[in-house]
Amino acid sequence: MGIKWRHRVWPAAPLALALLAAAGCDSGTTDATPKPTAAPPTSAARMCAKPAAGPAKAPAGAVTVDPAVPGDLAAKTENSPAHTTFWLRPGKHTLMSDRYDQVIPKEGDVYVGAPGAVLDGRRSNQYAFGGAAPDVTIRYLTVQQFVAPRDEGVVNHDSADGWVIEHATIQKNTGAGLMAGARQQVRASCLRDNGQYGMNAYKAADGIKGLVLEGNEITGNNTDDWERQRPDCGCSGGVKFWAVNGADIRGNWVHDNRGTGLWADTNNNDFLIEDNLIEGNDGAALIYETSYNAVIRKNTIRRNNWVEGRSYAAAGDTFPFATLYLSESGGEPRIRARTDKIDISRNVLENNWSGITLWENADRFCNSPANTSSGDCTLLVKNTGRCAQPAIADAPLYSDCRWKTQRVDIHDNRFVLDKSVVGCTVKCDRMAVLSNYGTYPDWSPYQGERVAEAITGAQHNRWHDNVYVGPWTFVVHDASRTVGFKQWRAAPYRQDAGSTLRAKDGG
């Protein structure tokens, strides 16, 4: 997958965290570290505390699997025809002892767990369910204690297409609890306490189309703290999406993950992210990076980015880290999707470490050594080698070789900040649209302030009709330029027409 980055190399997490104790007013106080999130309103997806129970009796025609027989599930799968339903009796089911032993379903197989049915890897087996068979279903089953390597997954290890995961609990595994294939549906499930990701939506060959993630609880993932082990790897979080074309992410409770809650990284397109409760994650609630065309609406986003935002502030970093972070991502009408922009609307963001940052790295483009999404190019240019001098200096490659933060429409949102709740004085109160001064490589046509001027004034990025409560400030053009609400709304920026700002919430 290569190393993914946000905008430049930052201090390693251990250094930043070590500075917390010595942090002054810029970073706030360490007693503001968020506590584990309390149960949300009943409208949120509370799937982990009391998972739904499967059938107490075998469905008609099902093959019964006995937990007293090691490897019974894998053996009966191998010896049964495609489209077989398997019912796992109550108890702890195991595989044989080789680390590569796993269940290899056939097309259309269905696995249903009885109340208390658990498939346990005993910290020995790497994978639970693998193979290329499409249209497999897993319901009412707990899968735990498997030890997949980094960037690999336990359930649907080989990213087969059309799998349905419902009312499942996938927990306490290393790597990713779940991989994804095209047309995969993950509903009403608990993805918790996995070592790297709750789900890693990555498929090397053709990418993933038509992914649904609905009504799940995604919590406590990245227990192995991969950003500490491999600083700036971009390889952790609740869910990571890579090259997914078409995803509906709705009604999930994404909370208390170590790192980012939801992270779409590299050539994703056509995302609908709505009606989610995203709270208490150590890093950003959502990162949308080098990707295209999304609708982000009606989400409740609160108390995110306290740990990472505070650690960078303590280390003296001036970048406006935010809870909703768009990095080299925007709307592109030439790429088919349900929208031709990134529409961020009707969300409530409350007491996060800062708000929304729109960022575009001047030095990051196809074929640049500064593009650590190694080997990838934009969806507009298939051959990365075309992005070179002299052709890149002129149309169309001058534009098409960049992932551009453009056509972002931020409206009808509510942004609430009480610094006494977050535990900070400054650096946690920012909205931002900015770039850096282009310097690298020496053949880059984007040197100087070209990208900063474009993202700020020429790429149709617009805030309007929002409500702000609290002491908000605004970063424009580059990290050194901070303005107040009045200047933000005036020429030359002319942002937030129709918006209001007040010091305190009037109800």
Side-chain angles (χ1 to χ4, degrees), residues 211-431:
L211 180 63
V212 174
L213 191 62
E214 183 172 24
N216 304 285
E217 184 174 352
I218 302 163
T219 181
N221 296 291
N222 189 30
T223 59
D224 292 334
D225 199 1
W226 276 103
E227 302 297 328
R228 183 185 293 265
Q229 292 190 47
R230 297 169 60 92
D232 306 301
C233 70
C235 60
S236 65
V239 181
K240 194 75 182 280
F241 306 89
W242 315 79
V244 175
N245 187 8
D248 288 1
I249 305 161
R250 65 170 75 90
N252 303 285
W253 183 23
V254 184
H255 66 99
D256 297 295
N257 294 286
R258 176 174 285 178
T260 301
L262 302 172
W263 191 340
D265 187 353
T266 310
N267 286 341
N268 299 278
N269 175 52
D270 194 17
F271 272 48
L272 173 63
I273 303 171
E274 68 175 352
D275 293 322
N276 301 284
L277 175 56
I278 310 176
E279 59 181 343
N281 298 289
D282 285 1
L286 170 65
I287 297 177
Y288 207 69
E289 180 177 2
T290 53
S291 294
Y292 301 89
N293 300 325
V295 175
I296 303 166
R297 68 188 180 199
K298 298 188 292 183
N299 301 285
T300 298
I301 300 171
R302 60 194 185 197
R303 296 183 295 102
N304 296 283
N305 204 31
W306 287 16
V307 173
E308 291 189 8
R310 182 173 286 108
S311 70
Y312 286 122
D317 203 303
T318 61
F319 187 82
F321 289 95
T323 197
L324 204 167
Y325 180 38
L326 272 61
S327 178
E328 295 89 28
S329 293
E332 175 50 71
R334 290 173 290 174
I335 298 172
R336 185 175 180 179
R338 73 196 83 189
T339 180
D340 61 3
K341 59 185 177 180
I342 294 184
D343 187 272
I344 303 173
S345 65
R346 293 178 285 168
N347 303 285
V348 176
L349 285 80
E350 181 175 358
N351 291 329
N352 300 285
W353 189 279
S354 288
I356 298 175
T357 287
L358 309 187
W359 161 258
E360 187 175 331
N361 188 331
D363 300 328
R364 188 179 189 184
F365 54 92
C366 297
N367 213 25
S368 167
N371 175 30
T372 51
S373 296
S374 53
D376 290 308
C377 199
T378 69
L379 293 179
L380 300 171
V381 180
K382 300 299 183 183
N383 182 357
T384 302
R386 293 178 60 206
C387 296
Q389 290 286 6
I392 194 174
D394 298 312
L397 293 182
Y398 180 83
S399 176
D400 292 352
C401 288
R402 294 197 62 82
W403 291 275
K404 291 194 290 187
T405 303
Q406 64 178 5
R407 299 175 62 84
V408 181
D409 192 5
I410 302 168
H411 63 98
D412 296 289
N413 302 285
R414 179 178 173 84
F415 302 103
V416 178
L417 176 63
D418 183 339
K419 289 186 176 181
S420 68
V421 173
V422 179
C424 71
T425 55
V426 296
K427 293 188 178 179
C428 66
D429 56 0
R430 295 178 288 182
M431 296 282 168

